[in-house]
Amino acid sequence: MRSNIGTVLITAGPTRERIDPVRFISNYSTGTFGYEIAREAKRRGKRVVLISGPTSLKAPSGVKVINAESASEMLKAVMKNLASAECVIMAAAVSDWRVRREAGSKIKRRGGAMRLELVENPDILREAGRKKHGTLVGFALETEGLEKNAARKLKEKRLDLIVANRLSSKNDVFGPGRVDVVIMDRLGNKTIVRRKTKKNLAKMVVDKALNFNI
C-alpha cells in the first residue's frame, strides 16, 4: 500500500467543441466534483495538477490549473503531465464528438434544416490507461445499466477504480447537491454510497485512490 504519492493529476469540467465562433457542443458538467477532489488532494499535502474544462468555479488554492477548452486540448495537457503523476483521477465530462469542420465565421440561417457532421473525439481515458504507471481513476455517468456499463469501462480502459452514478431527477450529478454513486475497483470490490455531498465523496475517492494497492 502506498501512502506518499507525489503528484496527483485531475481532470474536471466539460469540454467545448466549437461549431463556429459563437456556438459549441458541450454538456451540463459544472466541474464541481473534480474541483472538490483537487481541493481534497491538496489538503493532504499532494502536488496537484488540475486540467480544467470551461467552468465558473474558483481555482482551488495552491493547485496548478491548466485550462483546456476542447477534448483535443485536454488530451494534449493530460499526455504532457501523465508521466509525472503517480495518481490520475479523470473526473472531466469530455465530449464524445466534435464537428468535422469548424466554420470560420458565424453560420447564418438559410430558412431550412442544417446538418452537422460529427466525428469521434480522442478517448482520453483510454489513452491514459494505455500509458499508466500508477493508479488511474475514471468516472461513468449512465442512464441505464449502471454497474454493468461501469464494470465494462473499468476493464476496457484499464482503470483501477471507477466512480459511477446514474442520471435521474433525484441525483444531482451536475450541480452542488447530494448524489448516489457506486465505486468499483479492478479487484472486485464495490462500495455503494447514498446521498453524500460532493465534498464528502471527494474525500472517499481520494482515500481509495491514494491507498489503492496496484
Side-chain angles (χ1 to χ4, degrees):
M1 182 179 293
R2 296 172 302 146
S3 60
N4 185 25
I5 292 179
T7 299
V8 179
L9 176 64
I10 300 164
T11 67
T15 62
R16 291 178 180 174
E17 311 301 329
R18 295 187 183 186
I19 297 171
D20 65 16
V22 299
R23 302 180 181 94
F24 56 82
I25 299 169
S26 192
N27 56 64
Y28 293 112
S29 174
T30 61
T32 302
F33 204 170
Y35 273 59
E36 289 291 358
I37 291 170
R39 194 171 286 111
E40 179 63 23
K42 183 60 183 179
R43 188 184 70 81
R44 299 186 189 206
K46 309 305 178 184
R47 177 179 181 269
V48 180
V49 177
L50 174 62
I51 302 173
S52 176
T55 77
S56 60
L57 300 175
K58 182 180 179 180
S61 179
V63 169
K64 179 180 179 180
V65 178
I66 300 171
N67 294 312
E69 180 179 15
S70 67
S72 295
E73 290 176 2
M74 186 170 284
L75 173 64
K76 183 178 179 180
V78 168
M79 291 298 106
K80 184 176 180 179
N81 290 275
L82 191 63
S84 62
E86 296 179 61
C87 179
V88 181
I89 304 175
M90 306 284 278
V94 180
S95 177
D96 291 326
W97 298 279
R98 68 182 186 278
V99 294
R100 182 178 291 278
R101 293 184 181 85
E102 177 189 339
S105 57
K106 181 181 176 182
I107 300 171
K108 301 293 186 179
R109 289 175 180 261
R110 294 185 176 87
M114 183 188 74
R115 290 184 174 87
L116 293 176
E117 185 178 3
L118 303 180
V119 295
E120 284 193 354
N121 265 327
D123 189 329
I124 302 174
L125 192 56
R126 187 182 297 277
E127 290 303 313
R130 287 173 177 166
K131 299 182 179 181
K132 75 169 191 167
H133 62 276
T135 303
L136 178 60
V137 183
F139 284 67
L141 175 60
E142 303 291 344
T143 57
E144 57 188 4
L146 179 68
E147 291 188 23
K148 179 180 177 181
N149 288 327
R152 182 171 62 246
K153 187 173 186 178
L154 178 72
K155 181 178 180 180
E156 290 180 351
K157 303 194 179 182
R158 300 185 65 221
L159 308 180
D160 297 296
L161 294 141
I162 191 164
V163 182
N165 51 23
R166 180 180 287 108
L167 182 63
S168 73
S169 59
K170 297 180 180 180
N171 211 19
D172 190 17
V173 297
F174 297 117
R178 294 176 181 268
V179 292
D180 300 337
V181 303
V182 178
I183 305 174
M184 305 165 68
D185 69 31
R186 64 174 176 80
L187 303 177
N189 300 305
K190 179 175 71 174
T191 304
I192 298 174
V193 185
R194 305 286 189 194
R195 315 312 300 156
K196 292 290 187 181
T197 65
K198 290 181 178 177
K199 183 176 182 178
N200 285 333
L201 280 173
K203 294 177 181 179
M204 293 183 65
V205 171
V206 172
D207 271 340
K208 290 181 179 293
L210 297 188
N211 294 296
F212 186 76
N213 185 5
I214 62 171

Coordinates of all heavy atoms in Angstrom, one line a residue, residues 74-148:
M74 N -7.5 19.0 -24.0 CA -7.4 18.3 -22.8 C -6.5 17.1 -22.9 O -5.6 16.8 -22.0 CB -8.7 17.9 -22.3 CG -8.7 17.3 -20.9 SD -10.4 17.1 -20.1 CE -10.7 18.8 -19.7
L75 N -6.6 16.3 -24.0 CA -5.7 15.2 -24.3 C -4.3 15.6 -24.3 O -3.4 14.9 -23.6 CB -6.1 14.5 -25.6 CG -5.2 13.4 -26.0 CD1 -5.2 12.2 -25.1 CD2 -5.5 12.9 -27.4
K76 N -3.9 16.7 -25.0 CA -2.6 17.2 -25.0 C -2.0 17.5 -23.6 O -0.9 17.1 -23.3 CB -2.5 18.4 -25.9 CG -1.1 18.9 -26.1 CD -1.1 20.1 -27.1 CE 0.3 20.7 -27.3 NZ 0.3 21.9 -28.2
A77 N -2.8 18.1 -22.8 CA -2.4 18.5 -21.5 C -2.2 17.3 -20.6 O -1.3 17.2 -19.8 CB -3.4 19.5 -20.9
V78 N -3.1 16.3 -20.7 CA -3.0 15.1 -19.9 C -1.8 14.3 -20.3 O -1.0 13.9 -19.4 CB -4.3 14.2 -20.1 CG1 -4.0 12.8 -19.6 CG2 -5.5 14.8 -19.5
M79 N -1.5 14.2 -21.6 CA -0.3 13.4 -22.0 C 1.0 14.1 -21.6 O 1.9 13.4 -21.2 CB -0.4 13.2 -23.5 CG -1.5 12.3 -24.1 SD -1.3 10.6 -23.5 CE -2.6 10.5 -22.3
K80 N 1.0 15.4 -21.6 CA 2.1 16.2 -21.2 C 2.5 16.0 -19.7 O 3.6 16.0 -19.3 CB 1.9 17.6 -21.5 CG 3.2 18.5 -21.2 CD 2.9 19.9 -21.6 CE 4.2 20.8 -21.3 NZ 4.0 22.2 -21.7
N81 N 1.4 15.8 -18.9 CA 1.6 15.7 -17.4 C 1.5 14.3 -16.9 O 1.7 14.1 -15.7 CB 0.6 16.6 -16.7 CG 0.9 18.1 -16.9 OD1 1.7 18.7 -16.2 ND2 0.3 18.7 -18.0
L82 N 1.2 13.3 -17.7 CA 0.9 12.0 -17.2 C 2.1 11.3 -16.6 O 2.0 10.6 -15.5 CB 0.4 11.1 -18.4 CG -0.2 9.8 -18.0 CD1 -1.5 9.9 -17.2 CD2 -0.6 9.0 -19.3
A83 N 3.2 11.4 -17.2 CA 4.4 10.7 -16.7 C 4.9 11.1 -15.3 O 5.5 10.3 -14.6 CB 5.6 10.9 -17.7
S84 N 4.6 12.4 -14.9 CA 5.0 12.8 -13.6 C 4.0 12.6 -12.5 O 4.2 12.8 -11.4 CB 5.3 14.4 -13.7 OG 4.1 15.1 -14.0
A85 N 2.8 12.0 -12.9 CA 1.7 11.8 -11.9 C 1.7 10.3 -11.5 O 1.8 9.4 -12.3 CB 0.4 12.1 -12.5
E86 N 1.7 10.1 -10.2 CA 1.6 8.8 -9.6 C 0.1 8.4 -9.4 O -0.2 7.2 -9.1 CB 2.3 8.7 -8.3 CG 3.8 8.9 -8.5 CD 4.6 8.9 -7.2 OE1 4.5 7.8 -6.5 OE2 5.2 9.9 -6.8
C87 N -0.8 9.3 -9.5 CA -2.2 9.1 -9.3 C -3.0 10.0 -10.3 O -2.7 11.2 -10.3 CB -2.7 9.3 -7.9 SG -4.4 9.0 -7.7
V88 N -3.9 9.4 -11.1 CA -4.6 10.2 -12.1 C -6.1 10.0 -11.8 O -6.6 8.8 -11.8 CB -4.2 9.8 -13.5 CG1 -5.0 10.6 -14.5 CG2 -2.7 9.9 -13.7
I89 N -6.8 11.1 -11.7 CA -8.3 11.0 -11.4 C -9.0 11.8 -12.5 O -8.9 13.0 -12.5 CB -8.6 11.5 -10.0 CG1 -7.8 10.8 -8.9 CG2 -10.1 11.4 -9.8 CD1 -8.0 11.3 -7.5
M90 N -9.7 11.1 -13.4 CA -10.2 11.7 -14.6 C -11.7 11.9 -14.4 O -12.6 11.1 -14.8 CB -10.0 10.7 -15.8 CG -8.6 10.3 -16.0 SD -7.6 11.6 -16.7 CE -8.0 11.4 -18.4
A91 N -12.0 13.1 -13.8 CA -13.4 13.4 -13.5 C -14.1 14.3 -14.5 O -15.3 14.6 -14.4 CB -13.5 14.2 -12.1
A92 N -13.4 14.7 -15.6 CA -13.9 15.6 -16.6 C -15.0 14.8 -17.4 O -14.9 13.6 -17.6 CB -12.8 16.1 -17.5
A93 N -16.0 15.6 -17.9 CA -17.0 15.1 -18.8 C -16.6 15.5 -20.2 O -17.0 16.6 -20.7 CB -18.4 15.7 -18.4
V94 N -15.9 14.7 -20.8 CA -15.3 15.0 -22.2 C -16.3 14.7 -23.2 O -17.0 13.6 -23.3 CB -14.0 14.2 -22.4 CG1 -13.4 14.5 -23.8 CG2 -13.0 14.5 -21.3
S95 N -16.5 15.6 -24.1 CA -17.5 15.4 -25.2 C -17.0 14.3 -26.1 O -15.8 14.2 -26.5 CB -17.6 16.7 -26.1 OG -18.4 16.5 -27.2
D96 N -17.9 13.4 -26.5 CA -17.5 12.2 -27.3 C -17.3 12.6 -28.8 O -16.6 11.9 -29.5 CB -18.6 11.1 -27.2 CG -18.6 10.5 -25.8 OD1 -17.5 10.4 -25.2 OD2 -19.7 10.1 -25.3
W97 N -17.9 13.7 -29.2 CA -17.9 14.1 -30.6 C -17.5 15.6 -30.8 O -17.7 16.4 -29.9 CB -19.3 13.8 -31.3 CG -19.7 12.4 -31.3 CD1 -19.3 11.4 -32.1 CD2 -20.6 11.8 -30.3 NE1 -19.9 10.2 -31.8 CE2 -20.7 10.4 -30.7 CE3 -21.3 12.2 -29.2 CZ2 -21.5 9.5 -30.0 CZ3 -22.1 11.3 -28.6 CH2 -22.2 10.0 -28.9
R98 N -17.1 15.9 -32.0 CA -16.8 17.2 -32.4 C -17.3 17.3 -33.8 O -17.4 16.3 -34.5 CB -15.4 17.6 -32.3 CG -14.4 16.9 -33.2 CD -13.0 17.3 -33.1 NE -12.1 16.7 -34.1 CZ -11.7 15.4 -34.0 NH1 -12.0 14.6 -33.0 NH2 -10.9 15.0 -35.0
V99 N -17.5 18.6 -34.3 CA -17.9 18.7 -35.7 C -16.6 18.5 -36.6 O -15.5 18.8 -36.2 CB -18.4 20.1 -36.0 CG1 -19.7 20.3 -35.3 CG2 -17.5 21.2 -35.6
R100 N -16.8 17.9 -37.7 CA -15.7 17.6 -38.6 C -15.0 18.8 -39.1 O -13.8 18.9 -39.1 CB -16.2 16.8 -39.9 CG -15.0 16.4 -40.8 CD -15.5 15.6 -42.0 NE -16.0 14.2 -41.6 CZ -15.2 13.2 -41.3 NH1 -13.9 13.3 -41.5 NH2 -15.7 12.0 -41.0
R101 N -15.8 19.9 -39.4 CA -15.2 21.1 -39.8 C -15.8 22.3 -39.1 O -17.0 22.5 -39.2 CB -15.3 21.3 -41.3 CG -14.6 20.3 -42.2 CD -14.7 20.6 -43.7 NE -14.0 19.6 -44.5 CZ -14.5 18.5 -44.9 NH1 -15.8 18.1 -44.5 NH2 -13.8 17.6 -45.6
E102 N -15.0 23.0 -38.3 CA -15.4 24.2 -37.6 C -15.5 25.3 -38.6 O -14.6 25.6 -39.4 CB -14.5 24.6 -36.5 CG -14.8 25.8 -35.8 CD -13.7 26.3 -34.8 OE1 -12.9 25.4 -34.4 OE2 -13.7 27.5 -34.5
A103 N -16.7 26.0 -38.6 CA -16.9 27.2 -39.5 C -16.0 28.4 -39.1 O -15.9 28.6 -37.9 CB -18.3 27.6 -39.6
G104 N -15.4 29.0 -40.0 CA -14.6 30.2 -39.7 C -15.3 31.4 -39.3 O -14.8 32.4 -38.7
S105 N -16.6 31.5 -39.7 CA -17.5 32.7 -39.4 C -18.8 32.2 -39.0 O -19.2 31.0 -39.1 CB -17.6 33.6 -40.7 OG -18.1 32.8 -41.7
K106 N -19.6 33.0 -38.4 CA -20.9 32.6 -37.8 C -21.8 32.1 -38.9 O -22.0 32.6 -40.0 CB -21.6 33.8 -37.2 CG -22.9 33.5 -36.6 CD -23.6 34.7 -35.9 CE -25.0 34.4 -35.4 NZ -25.6 35.6 -34.9
I107 N -22.4 30.9 -38.6 CA -23.3 30.2 -39.6 C -24.6 31.0 -39.6 O -25.2 31.1 -38.5 CB -23.5 28.7 -39.2 CG1 -22.1 28.0 -39.3 CG2 -24.4 28.1 -40.2 CD1 -22.2 26.6 -38.7
K108 N -25.1 31.4 -40.7 CA -26.3 32.1 -40.8 C -27.5 31.2 -41.1 O -27.4 30.1 -41.7 CB -26.2 33.2 -42.0 CG -25.1 34.2 -41.8 CD -25.4 35.1 -40.6 CE -24.3 36.2 -40.5 NZ -24.6 37.1 -39.3
R109 N -28.7 31.7 -40.7 CA -29.9 31.0 -41.1 C -30.1 30.9 -42.6 O -29.8 31.9 -43.3 CB -31.1 31.6 -40.5 CG -31.3 31.5 -39.0 CD -32.4 32.4 -38.5 NE -32.7 32.3 -37.1 CZ -33.6 31.5 -36.5 NH1 -34.3 30.7 -37.2 NH2 -33.7 31.6 -35.2
R110 N -30.6 29.8 -43.1 CA -30.8 29.7 -44.5 C -32.3 29.3 -44.8 O -32.6 28.8 -45.9 CB -29.8 28.7 -45.1 CG -28.4 29.2 -45.1 CD -27.5 28.3 -45.8 NE -26.1 28.8 -45.8 CZ -25.2 28.6 -44.9 NH1 -25.5 27.9 -43.8 NH2 -24.0 29.1 -45.0
G111 N -33.1 29.4 -43.8 CA -34.5 29.0 -44.0 C -34.8 27.6 -44.1 O -35.8 27.2 -44.7
G112 N -34.0 26.7 -43.6 CA -34.2 25.3 -43.6 C -33.3 24.5 -42.6 O -32.7 25.1 -41.8
A113 N -33.3 23.2 -42.8 CA -32.5 22.4 -41.9 C -31.0 22.5 -42.1 O -30.6 22.8 -43.2 CB -32.9 20.9 -42.0
M114 N -30.3 22.4 -41.1 CA -28.8 22.4 -41.2 C -28.3 21.1 -40.6 O -28.7 20.7 -39.5 CB -28.2 23.6 -40.5 CG -26.7 23.6 -40.7 SD -25.9 24.9 -39.8 CE -25.9 24.2 -38.1
R115 N -27.4 20.4 -41.3 CA -26.8 19.2 -40.8 C -25.4 19.4 -40.3 O -24.6 20.1 -41.0 CB -26.8 18.1 -41.8 CG -28.2 17.6 -42.1 CD -28.2 16.4 -43.1 NE -29.5 15.8 -43.3 CZ -30.4 16.2 -44.1 NH1 -30.1 17.2 -44.9 NH2 -31.6 15.6 -44.2
L116 N -25.0 18.9 -39.2 CA -23.7 18.9 -38.7 C -23.1 17.5 -38.8 O -23.7 16.5 -38.3 CB -23.6 19.4 -37.2 CG -24.0 20.8 -36.9 CD1 -24.0 21.0 -35.4 CD2 -23.1 21.8 -37.6
E117 N -21.9 17.4 -39.4 CA -21.2 16.1 -39.4 C -20.3 16.0 -38.2 O -19.4 16.8 -38.0 CB -20.4 15.9 -40.7 CG -19.8 14.6 -40.9 CD -19.1 14.4 -42.2 OE1 -19.0 15.4 -42.9 OE2 -18.5 13.3 -42.4
L118 N -20.5 15.0 -37.4 CA -19.8 14.8 -36.2 C -18.8 13.6 -36.3 O -19.1 12.6 -37.0 CB -20.7 14.5 -35.0 CG -21.8 15.5 -34.7 CD1 -22.6 15.1 -33.5 CD2 -21.2 16.9 -34.5
V119 N -17.6 13.8 -35.7 CA -16.6 12.7 -35.7 C -16.3 12.5 -34.2 O -16.4 13.4 -33.4 CB -15.4 13.1 -36.5 CG1 -15.7 13.2 -38.0 CG2 -14.7 14.4 -36.0
E120 N -15.8 11.3 -33.9 CA -15.4 11.0 -32.5 C -14.2 11.7 -32.1 O -13.2 11.9 -32.8 CB -15.2 9.5 -32.4 CG -16.4 8.6 -32.4 CD -16.2 7.2 -31.9 OE1 -15.0 6.9 -31.7 OE2 -17.1 6.5 -31.7
N121 N -14.2 12.2 -30.9 CA -13.1 12.8 -30.2 C -12.1 11.7 -29.7 O -12.5 10.5 -29.6 CB -13.5 13.6 -29.0 CG -13.7 15.1 -29.4 OD1 -13.0 15.6 -30.2 ND2 -14.7 15.7 -28.8
P122 N -10.9 12.0 -29.4 CA -10.0 11.1 -28.8 C -10.5 10.6 -27.5 O -11.1 11.4 -26.8 CB -8.7 11.8 -28.7 CG -9.0 13.3 -28.8 CD -10.2 13.3 -29.7
D123 N -10.3 9.4 -27.1 CA -10.7 8.8 -25.8 C -9.6 9.0 -24.9 O -8.6 8.3 -24.8 CB -11.0 7.3 -26.0 CG -11.7 6.8 -24.8 OD1 -11.4 7.2 -23.7 OD2 -12.5 5.8 -24.9
I124 N -9.6 10.1 -24.1 CA -8.6 10.5 -23.2 C -8.3 9.4 -22.1 O -7.2 9.1 -21.8 CB -8.8 11.9 -22.5 CG1 -9.0 12.9 -23.6 CG2 -7.7 12.3 -21.6 CD1 -9.4 14.3 -23.1
L125 N -9.4 8.9 -21.6 CA -9.3 7.9 -20.5 C -8.6 6.6 -21.0 O -7.8 6.0 -20.4 CB -10.7 7.6 -20.0 CG -10.8 6.7 -18.7 CD1 -10.0 7.4 -17.6 CD2 -12.2 6.5 -18.3
R126 N -9.0 6.2 -22.3 CA -8.3 5.0 -22.8 C -6.8 5.3 -23.1 O -6.0 4.4 -22.8 CB -9.0 4.7 -24.1 CG -8.5 3.3 -24.7 CD -9.2 3.1 -26.1 NE -10.6 2.9 -25.9 CZ -11.2 1.7 -25.6 NH1 -10.5 0.7 -25.3 NH2 -12.5 1.7 -25.5
E127 N -6.5 6.5 -23.6 CA -5.1 6.8 -23.8 C -4.3 6.8 -22.5 O -3.2 6.3 -22.4 CB -5.0 8.1 -24.5 CG -5.5 8.1 -26.0 CD -4.8 7.1 -26.8 OE1 -3.5 7.0 -26.8 OE2 -5.5 6.3 -27.5
A128 N -4.9 7.3 -21.5 CA -4.2 7.4 -20.2 C -4.0 5.9 -19.6 O -3.0 5.6 -19.1 CB -5.0 8.2 -19.2
G129 N -5.0 5.1 -19.9 CA -4.9 3.7 -19.5 C -3.8 2.9 -20.2 O -3.2 2.1 -19.6
R130 N -3.6 3.2 -21.4 CA -2.5 2.6 -22.2 C -1.1 2.9 -21.7 O -0.2 2.1 -21.8 CB -2.6 3.0 -23.6 CG -3.8 2.3 -24.4 CD -4.0 2.9 -25.8 NE -5.0 2.2 -26.5 CZ -5.6 2.7 -27.6 NH1 -5.1 3.8 -28.2 NH2 -6.5 2.1 -28.2
K131 N -1.0 4.1 -21.1 CA 0.3 4.6 -20.7 C 0.5 4.7 -19.2 O 1.5 5.3 -18.7 CB 0.6 5.9 -21.4 CG 0.6 5.8 -22.9 CD 1.0 7.2 -23.5 CE 1.0 7.0 -25.0 NZ 1.4 8.3 -25.7
K132 N -0.5 4.2 -18.4 CA -0.5 4.5 -17.0 C 0.7 3.7 -16.3 O 1.1 2.6 -16.7 CB -1.8 4.0 -16.4 CG -2.0 2.5 -16.3 CD -3.2 2.2 -15.4 CE -3.3 0.8 -15.0 NZ -4.2 0.5 -14.0
H133 N 1.2 4.3 -15.2 CA 2.2 3.6 -14.4 C 1.8 3.7 -12.9 O 2.6 3.3 -12.0 CB 3.6 4.2 -14.6 CG 3.7 5.7 -14.3 ND1 3.3 6.7 -15.1 CD2 4.1 6.3 -13.2 CE1 3.5 7.9 -14.6 NE2 3.9 7.7 -13.4
G134 N 0.7 4.3 -12.6 CA 0.2 4.5 -11.2 C -1.3 4.2 -11.2 O -1.9 3.7 -12.1
T135 N -2.0 4.7 -10.2 CA -3.4 4.5 -10.0 C -4.2 5.4 -11.0 O -3.9 6.6 -11.1 CB -3.8 4.8 -8.6 OG1 -3.1 4.0 -7.7 CG2 -5.3 4.5 -8.4
L136 N -5.1 4.8 -11.7 CA -6.0 5.5 -12.6 C -7.4 5.4 -12.2 O -7.9 4.2 -12.1 CB -5.7 5.0 -14.0 CG -6.6 5.6 -15.1 CD1 -6.3 7.1 -15.2 CD2 -6.3 5.0 -16.5
V137 N -8.1 6.5 -12.0 CA -9.5 6.5 -11.6 C -10.3 7.2 -12.7 O -10.0 8.3 -13.2 CB -9.7 7.3 -10.3 CG1 -11.1 7.3 -9.9 CG2 -8.8 6.8 -9.2
G138 N -11.4 6.5 -13.1 CA -12.3 7.0 -14.1 C -13.7 7.3 -13.5 O -14.0 6.8 -12.4
F139 N -14.5 7.9 -14.3 CA -15.9 8.2 -13.9 C -16.9 7.7 -15.0 O -16.5 7.7 -16.2 CB -16.1 9.7 -13.6 CG -15.5 10.2 -12.3 CD1 -14.2 10.2 -12.1 CD2 -16.4 10.6 -11.3 CE1 -13.6 10.6 -10.9 CE2 -15.8 11.0 -10.1 CZ -14.5 11.0 -9.9
A140 N -18.1 7.4 -14.6 CA -19.1 6.9 -15.6 C -20.4 7.5 -15.2 O -20.8 7.4 -14.0 CB -19.2 5.4 -15.6
L141 N -21.1 8.1 -16.1 CA -22.5 8.6 -15.9 C -23.4 7.8 -16.8 O -23.2 7.8 -18.1 CB -22.6 10.1 -16.2 CG -24.0 10.7 -16.1 CD1 -24.6 10.5 -14.8 CD2 -23.9 12.2 -16.5
E142 N -24.4 7.1 -16.3 CA -25.2 6.3 -17.1 C -26.7 6.6 -16.9 O -27.1 7.1 -15.8 CB -25.0 4.8 -16.7 CG -23.5 4.3 -16.9 CD -23.0 4.2 -18.3 OE1 -23.9 4.3 -19.2 OE2 -21.8 4.1 -18.5
T143 N -27.5 6.3 -17.9 CA -28.9 6.4 -17.8 C -29.6 5.1 -17.5 O -30.7 5.0 -17.1 CB -29.6 7.1 -19.0 OG1 -29.2 6.3 -20.2 CG2 -29.1 8.5 -19.2
E144 N -28.8 4.0 -17.8 CA -29.3 2.6 -17.5 C -28.1 1.7 -17.4 O -27.0 2.0 -17.9 CB -30.2 2.2 -18.6 CG -29.6 2.2 -20.0 CD -30.6 2.0 -21.1 OE1 -31.8 1.8 -20.9 OE2 -30.1 1.9 -22.3
G145 N -28.3 0.5 -16.9 CA -27.3 -0.5 -16.8 C -26.0 0.0 -16.1 O -24.9 -0.2 -16.5
L146 N -26.2 0.7 -14.9 CA -25.1 1.4 -14.3 C -23.9 0.5 -13.9 O -22.8 0.8 -14.4 CB -25.7 2.1 -13.0 CG -24.6 2.8 -12.1 CD1 -24.2 4.1 -12.9 CD2 -25.2 3.2 -10.8
E147 N -24.1 -0.5 -13.2 CA -23.0 -1.3 -12.8 C -22.4 -2.1 -13.9 O -21.2 -2.3 -14.0 CB -23.4 -2.2 -11.6 CG -23.7 -1.5 -10.3 CD -23.9 -2.4 -9.1 OE1 -23.4 -3.5 -9.1 OE2 -24.6 -1.9 -8.2
K148 N -23.2 -2.6 -14.8 CA -22.8 -3.4 -15.9 C -21.9 -2.5 -16.8 O -20.8 -2.9 -17.2 CB -23.9 -3.9 -16.7 CG -23.5 -4.7 -18.0 CD -24.8 -5.2 -18.7 CE -24.4 -6.0 -20.0 NZ -25.6 -6.5 -20.7

